[in-house]
């Protein structure tokens, strides 16, 4: 998972990102290998790709980011689609990809994934009975700023999602603004406004809001035909400094096989002597 400084842009990441990367690397490996002979093409989509490398804040330690981890699996995906809002970060990613995986088929999409979703969907090879295409899509925004509508458009294809629900950082800090204010942010992330009534009716404590939102997100994904993902099968990643909860990492698939891989990942991602030396 560690990388050498290559002089290109390396955005700061928290030290807890190591947990995220361990989990993603394991899942990418299991998914890309396990689905290789079941599907004709496997596609990896990163909606919030960043630069490919990140530096742990306040240190010199550089980690491979999600696009580079996905490029490094034993049985590479047949195609990669990387979307990133920042031009500088995307340019750095392009240079890294050309060096690390020059043979990979990669589409780079500059801009916001929500406005570029049609272009992203066009990059997914057309499926047919003789050409079955399965995609794995990573949704990794900084906060709870994802838009359910974007995932809904992708769900028209065979797509499994790994979603980082960064609600610990965002929703707790902005609770009043989101719940009592007029902010549409959570409405857009969940794809409905009915959550507000359900939250009031639940009458639970403010400290339960994070758990409530994660469960609501799972309900929204179920409306697209995805299997239920209960809280205890989401990975809660906490900051290493104050042990504050930060985000849930959740898998959403319509297929039970994916959840077998996920269970392995949950088991080994906390094990320091993990399956592979990454
Ligand atoms: C948490 S980082 C992603 C980290 C990356 N997945 C990794 O693990 O290496 C979020 C990235 O999304 C970008 N971003 C923010 N909003 C975006 C949007 N709507 N569409 C695409 N990229 C966005 C930011 O510039 C940032 O690089």
């Amino acid at each position: 998972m560690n990388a050498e400084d290559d002089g290109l842009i390396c955005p700061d990441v928290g030290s807890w990102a190591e947990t995220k990367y361990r989990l993603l690397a394991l899942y990418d490996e299991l998914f890309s290998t396990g689905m290789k002979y079941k599907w004709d093409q496997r596609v990896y989509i990163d909606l919030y790709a960043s630069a490919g490398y990140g530096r742990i804040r306040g240190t010199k330690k550089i980690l491979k980011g999600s696009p580079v981890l996905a490029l490094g699996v034993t049985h590479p995906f047949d195609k990669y689609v990387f979307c990133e809002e920042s031009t500088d970060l995307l340019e750095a990613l392009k240079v890294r990809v050309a060096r690390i995986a020059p043979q990979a088929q990669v589409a780079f999409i500059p801009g916001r994934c929500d406005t570029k979703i049609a272009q992203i969907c066009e990059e997914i090879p057309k499926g047919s009975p003789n050409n079955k295409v399965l995609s794995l899509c990573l949704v990794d925004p900084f906060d709870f700023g994802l838009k359910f509508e974007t995932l809904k458009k992708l769900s028209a294809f065979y797509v499994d999602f790994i979603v980082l629900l960064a609600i610990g950082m965002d929703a707790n800090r902005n609770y009043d603004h989101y719940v009592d204010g007029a902010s549409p942010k959570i409405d857009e992330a969940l794809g409905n406004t009915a959550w507000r009534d359900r939250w009031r009716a639940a009458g639970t404590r403010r400290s339960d809001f994070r758990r409530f939102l994660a469960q609501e997100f799972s309900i929204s994904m179920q409306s697209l035909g995805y299997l239920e993902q209960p809280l205890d099968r989401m990975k809660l990643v906490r900051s290493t400094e104050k042990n504050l909860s930060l985000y849930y990492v959740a898998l959403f698939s319509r297929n039970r096989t994916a959840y077998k891989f996920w269970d392995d990942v949950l088991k080994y991602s906390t094990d320091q002597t993990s399956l592979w030396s990454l």
Side-chain angles (χ1 to χ4, degrees):
M1 272 192 347
N2 295 350
E4 296 290 320
D5 191 350
D6 59 4
L8 298 167
I9 300 179
C10 240
D12 277 356
V13 296
S15 54
W16 53 88
E18 281 190 272
T19 308
K20 169 178 92 172
Y21 291 138
R22 190 174 302 121
L23 198 140
L24 292 178
L26 284 170
Y27 192 79
D28 290 348
E29 184 66 33
L30 291 176
F31 180 96
S32 56
T33 301
M35 299 303 186
K36 185 171 166 58
Y37 299 106
K38 295 195 170 106
W39 297 80
D40 298 296
Q41 292 190 70
R42 294 147 303 132
V43 180
Y44 177 86
I45 304 166
D46 213 321
L47 294 184
Y48 301 78
S50 193
Y53 283 7
R55 187 189 313 270
I56 296 186
R57 196 170 291 112
T59 75
K60 291 189 171 162
K61 191 169 180 184
I62 295 178
L63 301 175
K64 293 175 186 168
S66 55
V68 171
L69 293 173
L71 286 161
V73 293
T74 308
H75 299 287
F77 290 79
D78 299 284
K79 182 164 184 184
Y80 294 83
V81 182
F82 298 140
C83 179
E84 169 55 50
E85 178 183 36
S86 154
T87 315
D88 290 348
L89 297 182
L90 193 66
E91 287 308 312
L93 179 61
K94 278 184 192 171
V95 176
R96 288 185 170 122
V97 171
R99 189 187 68 233
I100 295 164
Q103 71 297 340
Q105 199 194 339
V106 184
F108 295 95
I109 314 265
R112 297 181 72 82
C113 57
D114 311 299
T115 47
K116 294 295 181 82
I117 189 60
Q119 204 181 326
I120 293 168
C121 290
E122 274 169 28
E123 291 293 344
I124 301 174
K126 297 282 163 290
S128 72
N130 297 324
N131 181 34
K132 292 190 293 159
V133 182
L134 177 64
S135 301
L136 175 62
C137 177
L138 177 65
V139 186
D140 181 13
F142 281 127
D143 61 13
F144 205 40
L146 64 97
K147 305 231 184 307
F148 182 71
E149 199 54 34
T150 301
L151 275 55
K152 188 174 176 181
K153 288 188 179 128
L154 274 169
S155 75
F157 300 82
Y158 287 108
V159 180
D160 287 358
F161 290 96
I162 295 181
V163 186
L164 279 91
L165 297 165
I167 43 195
M169 288 183 279
D170 192 23
N172 281 357
R173 199 182 300 146
N174 296 306
Y175 178 89
D176 296 326
H177 184 48
Y178 292 150
V179 173
D180 300 321
S183 169
K185 194 166 183 176
I186 293 180
D187 304 344
E188 288 173 354
L190 297 176
N192 69 75
T193 53
W195 69 270
R196 291 170 184 274
D197 295 334
R198 287 195 284 271
W199 172 245
R200 284 188 197 104
T204 39
R205 292 165 301 160
R206 180 181 168 139
S207 57
D208 289 330
F209 191 49
R210 178 173 51 74
R211 294 164 58 82
F212 170 82
L213 288 183
Q215 281 162 332
E216 282 287 321
F217 189 79
S218 176
I219 293 169
S220 294
M221 293 303 286
Q222 280 176 262
S223 75
L224 301 177
Y226 287 83
L227 298 173
E228 185 192 0
Q229 183 69 310
L231 270 184
D232 61 8
R233 291 180 90 192
M234 297 183 187
K235 172 87 179 172
L236 182 63
V237 179
R238 295 174 189 275
S239 75
T240 36
E241 281 88 19
K242 291 182 184 158
N243 209 27
L244 297 170
S245 58
L246 285 182
Y247 46 78
Y248 287 104
V249 188
L251 172 79
F252 295 97
S253 178
R254 294 166 168 136
N255 192 311
R256 299 220 167 268
T257 311
Y259 290 95
K260 288 190 193 134
F261 297 154
W262 187 247
D263 285 344
D264 285 343
V265 165
L266 292 181
K267 188 168 159 227
Y268 288 108
S269 68
T270 47
D271 181 353
Q272 294 306 309
T273 57
S274 62
L275 280 177
W276 298 274
S277 78
L278 301 165

